[in-house]
């Protein structure tokens, strides 16, 4: 399943991650509206209950005053005022009781009112006081019921708000987690193909392993880049095969006529075909010298071709002292008039012995060929930040910085003449660079205070993944 373009995947992932957040916002708005409605209803209830209770208190005071006035002034006008006060008290009581839906205290008040409605027949002042005291006690009880009802409503409202907050917190945690999961999923759909591209590039750079198959679940742009990298890998394989074949065939074809020329020179030198004069011997000497130089060029070419075919180094813990000693023994004749200073500060290094030996051979050969005659050559091997460092330095003409990088390209030679009068191939430093690269290291020209030219090779000592 192809995921579409990278832009579509990014926008789709963004929109999909916003869906839970939009749902959370919608639920929060609903809860906020519910809280607003609840607060409005409870506020109206409290205001209404308190107002009705105040009306009942006022009606109670008016009723008690009217009854006491009638007990003193018994006329019809005061009696009508008393009847009106009783009616107002009943109305206030009914409104409050309907609001509270409580009938215990209201029934007691109804009984007391029935007793007081016969106020015309009550002549005993003590009996009237008893009736009024019972009425006031029932009103006080009703006031307590009103307070209790308000507190119960507030407690219910508080419980509802607590439950709503818990629900909101749980919903927020859940929806935010869903959004994060969707974001991670969308990110992973982009990161995985990018990681695969990095893997392909690493394989191409190290020239090791097979490329993974083309992705099927990735954005179109990244699949296109992956196809281009696969094409590039095939093209590099073709070019590498052509280059290796060219070098192999060229070296082989040069060996055959070179052997014939050397054999002919040997026959002429032994004067098998007849005696030669001094001029002919001089020409033969030049011919043999040229043949030897050509043989050196062919051997360098074969060495470079062999290096190109070695794709996987074998790392072991080798002794740098032994490798340097063997190298200097092979170059003993060339180093007769040179003092070689060797400074080895590590007993074991993790390298491929054959590749490291080629590095030593070519750097020493380069120092002999291009260093000032009779001047010392310095060699140092040490560790620096989990890197095995090899420094080979000589005295002579300094290398310009703009030319230093090109020295490690194949068939690139320096402008200065060699001390051994041998025409260089331009492959020595290239072989050094390729050997270091195969061991995941590098080589560069560095400035040091004790020599004019210094080549530094760095080989990592950690195992590469």
């Amino acid at each position: 399943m192809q995921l579409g373009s990278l832009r579509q995947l990014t926008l789709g992932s963004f929109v999909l991650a916003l869906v839970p957040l939009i749902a959370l916002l919608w639920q929060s708005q609903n809860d906020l509206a519910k809280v607003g409605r609840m607060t409005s209803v409870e506020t109206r209830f409290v205001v209404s209950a308190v107002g009705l209770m105040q009306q009942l208190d006022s009606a109670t005071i008016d009723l008690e005053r009217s009854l006491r006035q009638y007990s003193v002034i018994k006329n019809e006008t005061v009696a009508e005022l008393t009847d009106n006060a009783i009616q107002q008290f009943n109305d206030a009581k009914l409104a409050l009781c309907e609001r509270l839906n409580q009938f215990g205290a209201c029934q007691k008040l109804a009984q007391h009112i029935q007793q007081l409605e016969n106020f015309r027949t009550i002549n005993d002042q003590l009996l009237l006081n008893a009736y009024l005291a019972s009425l006031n006690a029932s009103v006080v009880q009703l006031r307590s019921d009103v307070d209790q009802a308000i507190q119960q409503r507030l407690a219910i409202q508080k419980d509802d708000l607590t439950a709503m907050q818990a629900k909101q917190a749980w919903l927020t945690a859940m929806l935010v987690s869903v959004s994060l999961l969707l974001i991670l999923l969308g990110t992973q759909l982009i990161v995985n193909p990018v990681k695969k591209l990095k893997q392909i590039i690493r394989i191409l750079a190290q020239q090791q392993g097979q490329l993974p198959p083309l992705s099927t679940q990735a954005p179109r742009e990244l699949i296109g880049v992956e196809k281009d990298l696969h094409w590039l890998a095939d093209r590099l394989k073709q070019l590498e095969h052509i280059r290796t074949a060219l070098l192999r065939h060229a070296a082989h074809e040069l060996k055959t006529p070179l052997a014939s020329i050397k054999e002919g020179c040997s026959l002429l030198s032994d004067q098998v075909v007849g005696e030669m004069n001094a001029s002919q011997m001089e020409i033969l000497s030049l011919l043999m010298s040229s043949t030897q130089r050509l043989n050196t060029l062919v051997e360098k070419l074969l060495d470079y071709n062999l290096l190109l075919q070695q794709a996987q180094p074998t790392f072991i813990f080798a002794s740098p002292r032994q490798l340097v000693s063997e190298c200097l023994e092979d170059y003993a004749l060339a180093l007769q008039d040179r003092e070689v200073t060797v400074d080895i500060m590590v007993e074991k290094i993790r390298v491929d012995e054959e590749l490291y030996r080629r590095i030593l051979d070519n750097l020493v050969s380069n120092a002999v060929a291009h260093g000032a005659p009779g001047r010392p050559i310095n060699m140092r091997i040490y560790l620096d930040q989990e890197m095995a460092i090899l420094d080979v330095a000589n005295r002579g003409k300094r290398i310009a910085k703009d030319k230093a990088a090109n020295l490690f390209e194949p068939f690139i030679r320096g402008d200065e003449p060699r001390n051994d009068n041998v025409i260089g191939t331009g492959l020595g430093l290239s072989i050094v660079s390729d050997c270091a690269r195969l061991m995941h290291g590098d080589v560069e020209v560095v400035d040091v205070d004790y020599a004019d030219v210094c080549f530094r090779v760095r080989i990592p000592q950690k195992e590469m993944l």
Side-chain angles (χ1 to χ4, degrees):
M1 181 184 66
Q2 194 164 337
L3 299 177
S5 67
L6 187 59
R7 178 180 297 176
Q8 291 174 351
L9 178 60
T10 304
L11 292 178
S13 300
F14 180 75
V15 172
L16 192 61
L18 284 180
V19 170
L21 299 179
I22 294 174
L24 176 62
L25 181 60
W26 176 78
Q27 183 63 37
S28 300
Q29 291 294 330
N30 288 341
D31 291 342
L32 184 61
K34 184 178 179 181
V35 170
R37 291 193 298 270
M38 185 187 304
T39 303
S40 177
V41 170
E42 296 304 324
T43 302
R44 286 198 299 268
F45 172 80
V46 171
V47 172
S48 175
V50 172
L52 292 174
M53 191 65 221
Q54 290 177 351
Q55 291 180 8
L56 183 63
D57 289 338
S58 178
T60 301
I61 295 173
D62 292 342
L63 176 60
E64 183 178 359
R65 184 174 60 250
S66 298
L67 288 173
R68 292 189 182 281
Q69 286 179 354
Y70 181 78
S71 65
V72 177
I73 306 173
K74 295 186 178 182
N75 56 31
E76 193 60 29
T77 301
V78 178
E80 291 179 357
L81 292 175
T82 303
D83 289 335
N84 187 30
I86 291 174
Q87 184 62 39
Q88 290 180 356
F89 183 86
N90 277 327
D91 293 339
K93 176 185 70 66
L94 290 174
L96 183 59
C97 290
E98 289 177 357
R99 187 64 177 172
L100 295 179
N101 292 326
Q102 295 183 0
F103 303 101
C106 293
Q107 289 178 355
K108 291 181 180 180
L109 285 176
Q111 294 175 1
H112 296 322
I113 290 299
Q114 288 179 358
Q115 294 173 351
L116 293 175
E117 285 179 348
N118 300 321
F119 66 90
R120 290 181 176 85
T121 60
I122 299 175
N123 296 320
D124 189 355
Q125 187 66 30
L126 293 177
L127 182 59
L128 178 62
N129 290 337
Y131 286 161
L132 291 176
S134 299
L135 178 66
N136 288 328
S138 297
V139 170
V140 171
Q141 180 62 39
L142 185 59
R143 185 182 297 109
S144 177
D145 292 343
V146 170
D147 292 339
Q148 185 178 359
I150 292 174
Q151 293 300 324
Q152 289 178 352
R153 296 290 290 267
L154 291 178
I156 293 173
Q157 183 181 9
K158 183 178 179 181
D159 292 340
D160 291 342
L161 289 175
T162 302
M164 193 175 299
Q165 288 177 351
K167 175 186 175 183
Q168 188 70 22
W170 174 81
L171 192 62
T172 300
M174 183 184 69
L175 293 179
V176 169
S177 299
V178 172
S179 293
L180 291 177
L181 288 176
L182 292 174
I183 291 173
L184 291 177
L185 178 61
T187 304
Q188 202 66 23
L189 292 175
I190 299 175
V191 170
N192 285 340
V194 174
K195 287 183 177 178
K196 190 173 182 181
L197 293 178
K198 291 177 65 178
Q199 179 187 3
I200 294 174
I201 294 173
R202 190 179 301 113
I203 292 174
L204 291 177
Q206 299 177 357
Q207 298 181 1
Q208 298 176 1
Q210 295 292 328
L211 296 182
L214 287 173
S215 301
T216 56
Q217 297 183 355
R220 285 197 298 267
E221 294 87 348
L222 298 183
I223 290 180
V225 175
E226 190 173 345
K227 289 181 179 178
D228 292 341
L229 289 177
H230 276 261
W231 175 85
L232 179 60
D234 294 337
R235 183 61 176 166
L236 289 176
K237 287 181 180 179
Q238 294 175 3
L239 295 176
E240 187 68 20
H241 178 73
I242 293 173
R243 183 174 67 164
T244 305
L246 177 62
L247 291 175
R248 182 173 62 251
H249 292 313
H252 180 268
E253 293 299 327
L254 286 174
K255 274 289 186 178
T256 301
L258 181 60
S260 300
I261 295 174
K262 290 178 66 177
E263 183 64 23
C265 290
S266 179
L267 292 175
L268 292 175
S269 177
D270 294 338
Q271 298 185 3
V272 174
V273 295
E275 189 175 351
M276 301 176 60
N277 57 34
S279 298
Q280 290 173 337
M281 290 296 294
E282 183 179 359
I283 295 173
L284 179 60
S285 175
L286 294 175
L287 183 60
M288 292 182 67
S289 176
S290 299
T291 304
Q292 184 62 35
R293 288 199 300 269
L294 182 58
N295 185 67
T296 303
L297 294 177
V298 173
E299 289 177 355
K300 287 285 186 179
L301 196 60
L302 287 172
D303 191 28
Y304 186 63
N305 181 52
L306 182 62
L307 176 64
L308 292 177
Q309 294 176 357
Q310 182 176 356
Q312 184 65 36
T314 302
F315 288 95
I316 63 171
F317 284 96
S319 171
R321 295 183 184 275
Q322 181 179 354
L323 294 175
V324 172
S325 176
E326 293 175 355
C327 176
L328 295 181
E329 287 180 3
D330 292 343
Y331 285 88
L333 292 177
L335 295 173
Q336 285 181 350
D337 60 341
R338 302 290 185 94
E339 177 187 355
V340 180
T341 303
V342 179
D343 184 11
I344 299 177
M345 294 179 287
V346 58
E347 294 298 327
K348 295 289 184 179
I349 55 176
R350 183 178 174 274
V351 294
D352 182 292
E353 279 191 331
E354 183 178 355
L355 294 178
Y356 204 76
R357 177 59 189 276
R358 288 183 182 178
I359 291 176
L360 291 173
D361 289 342
N362 284 280
L363 288 181
V364 171
S365 174
N366 184 78
V368 171
H370 296 281
R375 300 297 302 280
I377 297 174
N378 301 92
M379 297 180 65
R380 294 183 62 204
I381 300 178
Y382 57 95
L383 291 178
D384 182 19
Q385 298 181 355
E386 298 183 347
M387 287 280 187
I389 310 297
L390 166 64
D391 286 349
V392 178
N394 61 269
R395 279 71 177 173
K397 187 174 181 179
R398 293 183 179 273
I399 300 174
K401 291 184 178 180
D402 57 340
K403 296 181 179 180
N406 296 328
L407 287 178
F408 304 103
E409 296 294 329
F411 308 107
I412 299 297
R413 294 179 298 177
D415 299 331
E416 295 300 318
R418 295 167 59 97
N419 298 327
D420 50 9
N421 296 320
V422 176
I423 300 176
T425 61
L427 290 176
L429 294 179
S430 176
I431 291 175
V432 172
S433 177
D434 287 339
C435 288
R437 175 183 54 82
L438 288 173
M439 292 187 288
H440 315 295
D442 56 31
V443 59
E444 61 179 345
V445 180
V446 297
D447 293 330
V448 293
D449 55 0
Y450 58 87
D452 298 319
V453 178
C454 180
F455 290 92
R456 176 168 294 171
V457 180
R458 302 189 307 168
I459 306 298
Q461 297 301 286
K462 272 190 173 182
E463 184 175 356
M464 303 298 291
L465 299 178

